[in-house]
Amino acid sequence: MEPITTRQYAQLFVPKLFTVLRGGYRWQDLRSDATAGLTVAVVALPLAMALAIASGASPEKGLHTAIIAGFLISALGGSRVQIGGPTAAFIPVVFVVIEKFGYGGLILCTLLAGLMLIAAGLLRMGTLMKYMPQPVITGFTAGIAVGIFSSQIKDALGLRMGAVPAEFLPRWRAYADHIASAQPLAIGLTLLGLAVIFGLRRWKPNWPGFLIALLLGTGACLALDLPVETIGSRFGDLPSALPAFDFPRIPFERTFELLPTSFTIAFLAGVESLLSAVVADGMTGGRHRSNAELVAQGIANCGSALFGGLPATGAIARTATNIRAGGRTPMAGILHALFLLLFMLVLAPWMRYVPLPALAAVLLVVAWNMSEYEHFRHTLSAPKGDRLVLLLTFLLTVFFDLTIAIEVGIVVAAFVFMFRMADAVEVSSGIQLLDENGDERKGGADPEQRARLPVGVEAFQITGPLFFGAASRLDDLLDQFFKPPRVFILRMRLVPIIDASGVHALETLLDRCRRRGIILIISGLQTQPRRVIQKMQLHPREDELHFVPNFESALELANGLLDRQKRTQDTDA
């Protein structure tokens, strides 16, 4: 990292809320943010309770987390539209910690994770998160989804059994031993919830499917007096009061024993929050402050722990809902937390009647969404090394431990990278994302070559392997132009190899070009990149993406595209 001044360093941590308010906050902004905040609160209400129950905690812990952490993440974070709270990624980790160390152990883990996140942000490690190999992320995310799915079988089938084992195989053996106790009414409520959620997703996608499924399930239980387990029968009445400081006995003497789990929680919170912020940037065209986001996540986790809550991070689905509902500024996230608080104070007496099979249906859908089946299958078409990392991380997450899975996945990905670099050493001695001048900083082409570019056309060249460590540099290409070009030529004749993350970066670049009306031309692909790109289904698309053999062909095609655009404009005029 290059040295920066104290002023520049301080700017890295300025909350987006401060930036928004300094620029002027209008009544129209408040109205849009209030509508979005209410919409997200409606979505978050059932999720917060369901995630807490799946983690082995009481439902109000999830609500307290969504309120406190959600407020702090929006107030202090580096993203305009990020929504924070408990997420499904933490379920396997939290469940095991509570089972082994009690709730006090979880509080200590969450506090330590919060401090780690604050330190990571202050050390400017937010920019390093984007170097995480995509197969590792996909592998442990899919593994977590399988864990969430398996944790819900007891409530979904209404099995009459004791505590569910934390390990995958013992858990399914316990299910098999008690399968005869399955209750048809519980299964019916689960199927009803799934049918409502998927049906609304297809025919009324803007309706809050999770909440409607819970309301219908609760209504059916009350109207027909169905003998199924509810929140009230398992946890008692929910407190209808403000969250308060809640300090159970914290086993400080086991701090060193809990450090690896705390690191896992910090890692998950950091990666998921920054992934969510990147997704939000793609949807809004904004740009988040990654280090400010990490600091905010750390403070939010510390705050949640002090009130007896769960770990928290940025929630991708709720953030996307916020954007689609019209959220413009961090005020939407703040209002979402306040609406949740209002719901808890008003609706707490009624939440005891919510049937657990209906909540299980919600979490089964969450698990399916989190699995990203299509993305998992897509990554299986990547080179052998990426497939190895993906499957190894996935299987270790499911059958062993998330901490081990992440550590092993990263180490194996590093070995795969080193193997690829050894193969590429004869072709390139380094990895650089270069402009046509060969200068990383100036962002221009050499005078002779730039003179050959028609007006409205820009060209850049990549030299060296396009792998997970270099793929993120493509993110900033289009931001270097004061006026976006109409045609963008990406020269790849000096790229000897590409991996799944490189293809993903090209897909992201193509998506950004498409949204800006820019036609992307990729020239000079070598054998390995061409084979991998074809295998991963990145094909030419009319008026969006073209592949040509060399730079001369790219210039000829660019001229033809500009001429056609000009003729179209003349005809329209």
Side-chain angles (χ1 to χ4, degrees):
M1 296 182 185
E2 296 181 6
I4 59 175
T5 65
T6 303
R7 182 187 179 92
Q8 290 172 326
Y9 180 79
Q11 284 293 116
L12 297 174
F13 307 102
V14 174
K16 282 288 185 176
L17 178 63
F18 178 80
T19 303
V20 167
L21 296 178
R22 185 174 56 188
Y25 190 71
R26 301 165 299 172
W27 166 252
Q28 294 91 329
D29 297 324
L30 177 60
R31 185 171 56 187
S32 296
D33 287 340
T35 302
L38 178 60
T39 303
V40 178
V42 168
V43 173
L45 179 67
L47 271 179
M49 294 190 296
L51 293 171
I53 292 172
S55 301
S58 55
E60 74 270 11
K61 301 297 185 184
L63 291 172
H64 292 172
T65 305
I67 293 167
I68 296 165
F71 181 92
L72 291 173
I73 288 170
S74 293
L76 304 176
S79 171
R80 280 177 174 263
V81 289
Q82 179 90 282
I83 300 294
T87 68
F90 294 118
I91 289 177
V93 183
V94 172
F95 188 91
V96 171
V97 171
I98 293 176
E99 184 181 59
K100 289 185 177 180
F101 303 100
Y103 204 80
L106 176 65
I107 297 297
L108 178 57
C109 276
T110 308
L111 276 171
L112 292 172
L115 295 175
M116 290 178 186
L117 285 166
I118 293 172
L122 294 176
L123 293 173
R124 299 165 58 197
M125 295 179 64
T127 52
L128 300 179
M129 291 287 188
K130 58 187 176 185
Y131 297 138
M132 178 60 54
Q134 197 68 33
V136 174
I137 296 174
T138 303
F140 77 67
T141 300
I144 290 170
V146 172
I148 295 169
F149 175 85
S150 69
S151 71
Q152 296 308 300
I153 301 301
K154 174 189 174 182
D155 289 336
L157 301 182
L159 302 180
R160 298 188 182 279
M161 57 186 291
V164 178
E167 295 78 16
F168 184 79
L169 292 179
R171 177 182 294 169
W172 282 96
R173 281 197 293 268
Y175 289 154
D177 292 340
H178 295 84
I179 192 65
S181 66
Q183 302 176 64
L185 287 176
I187 297 173
L189 281 173
T190 302
L191 293 176
L192 172 65
L194 292 173
V196 169
I197 293 169
F198 284 117
L200 290 175
R201 181 170 294 181
R202 178 167 184 177
W203 288 294
K204 296 291 183 182
N206 293 326
W207 289 20
F210 289 159
L211 184 62
I212 292 174
L214 288 188
L215 290 175
L216 289 177
T218 305
C221 283
L222 290 174
L224 303 176
D225 195 23
L226 301 179
V228 296
E229 195 170 15
T230 65
I231 287 179
S233 65
R234 181 178 294 183
F235 300 101
D237 292 332
L238 297 185
S240 55
L242 294 172
F245 278 100
D246 183 13
F247 259 88
R249 181 188 175 278
I250 297 179
F252 288 107
E253 69 278 3
R254 308 188 74 172
T255 297
F256 288 104
E257 192 176 351
L258 287 168
L259 277 177
T261 304
S262 302
F263 174 79
T264 300
I265 292 174
F267 176 84
L268 287 175
V271 169
E272 190 167 1
S273 65
L274 294 183
L275 283 176
S276 178
V278 169
V279 170
D281 288 349
M283 295 179 69
T284 64
R287 200 170 187 83
H288 72 282
R289 297 178 182 132
S290 56
N291 294 299
E293 188 64 29
L294 285 183
V295 171
Q297 296 290 338
I299 295 172
N301 275 277
C302 290
S304 177
L306 293 175
F307 284 85
L310 304 169
T313 185
I316 296 176
R318 275 161 273 174
T319 298
T321 300
N322 179 42
I323 295 169
R324 287 195 292 264
R328 299 180 182 180
T329 75
M331 283 300 299
I334 292 173
L335 292 170
H336 132 269
L338 296 177
F339 280 125
L340 274 177
L341 177 60
L342 179 63
F343 291 162
M344 189 183 72
L345 296 177
V346 175
L347 301 178
W350 297 96
M351 291 180 188
R352 72 181 322 273
Y353 300 108
V354 175
L356 294 182
L359 278 174
V362 169
L363 282 170
L364 290 175
V365 176
V366 169
W368 173 254
N369 294 341
M370 191 173 184
S371 71
E372 294 186 330
Y373 167 73
E374 290 296 333
H375 189 57
F376 189 93
R377 189 176 68 174
H378 181 59
T379 307
L380 284 175
S381 63
K384 288 182 181 178
D386 294 308
R387 296 202 300 269
L388 172 64
V389 172
L390 171 72
L391 294 175
L392 190 60
T393 307
F394 170 74
L395 293 174
L396 288 174
T397 301
V398 172
F399 292 104
F400 291 95
D401 179 75
L402 184 58
T403 304
I404 295 175
I406 293 171
E407 292 171 351
V408 173
I410 293 175
V411 170
V412 173
F415 276 108
V416 170
F417 159 67
M418 288 186 285
F419 179 79
R420 288 173 176 156
M421 293 306 98
D423 278 355
V425 70
E426 295 180 3
V427 179
S428 175
S429 60
I431 302 162
Q432 291 180 310
L433 182 59
L434 301 176
D435 53 34
E436 297 297 340
N437 188 24
D439 188 336
E440 282 190 358
R441 302 179 184 279
K442 296 182 180 178
D446 66 84
E448 180 181 352
Q449 187 161 274
R450 281 196 72 80
R452 302 176 61 195
L453 294 176
V455 177
V457 179
E458 291 288 352
F460 271 68
Q461 177 170 286
I462 306 173
T463 299
L466 186 57
F467 71 110
F468 66 82
S472 62
R473 299 188 188 181
L474 290 181
D475 293 345
D476 300 323
L477 275 184
L478 297 181
D479 296 327
Q480 298 189 35
F481 306 121
F482 180 75
K483 180 180 180 182
R486 286 182 287 169
V487 179
F488 181 62
I489 300 173
L490 187 64
R491 300 186 65 190
M492 295 183 61
R493 67 184 181 87
L494 299 179
V495 176
I497 64 171
I498 190 171
D499 67 359
S501 297
V503 177
H504 178 73
L506 290 177
E507 291 171 339
T508 302
L509 176 64
L510 174 62
D511 182 66
R512 295 187 69 186
C513 287
R514 180 170 57 246
R515 285 188 278 106
R516 298 188 185 192
I518 301 171
I519 300 175
L520 177 62
I521 300 175
I522 297 178
S523 71
L525 283 176
Q526 295 188 36
T527 303
Q528 194 272 354
R530 182 172 62 251
R531 185 174 64 247
V532 173
I533 286 173
Q534 290 174 348
K535 198 173 182 180
M536 296 191 69
Q537 309 296 316
L538 184 58
H539 298 307
R541 305 172 193 177
E542 187 65 27
D543 291 329
E544 290 183 11
L545 174 65
H546 299 272
F547 293 96
V548 294
N550 51 52
F551 185 58
E552 298 297 329
S553 301
L555 287 177
E556 182 179 350
L557 176 59
N559 279 309
L561 292 171
L562 292 176
D563 289 340
R564 189 173 67 181
Q565 289 178 359
K566 187 176 185 303
R567 288 195 301 270
T568 302
Q569 292 171 357
D570 292 341
T571 302
D572 293 341

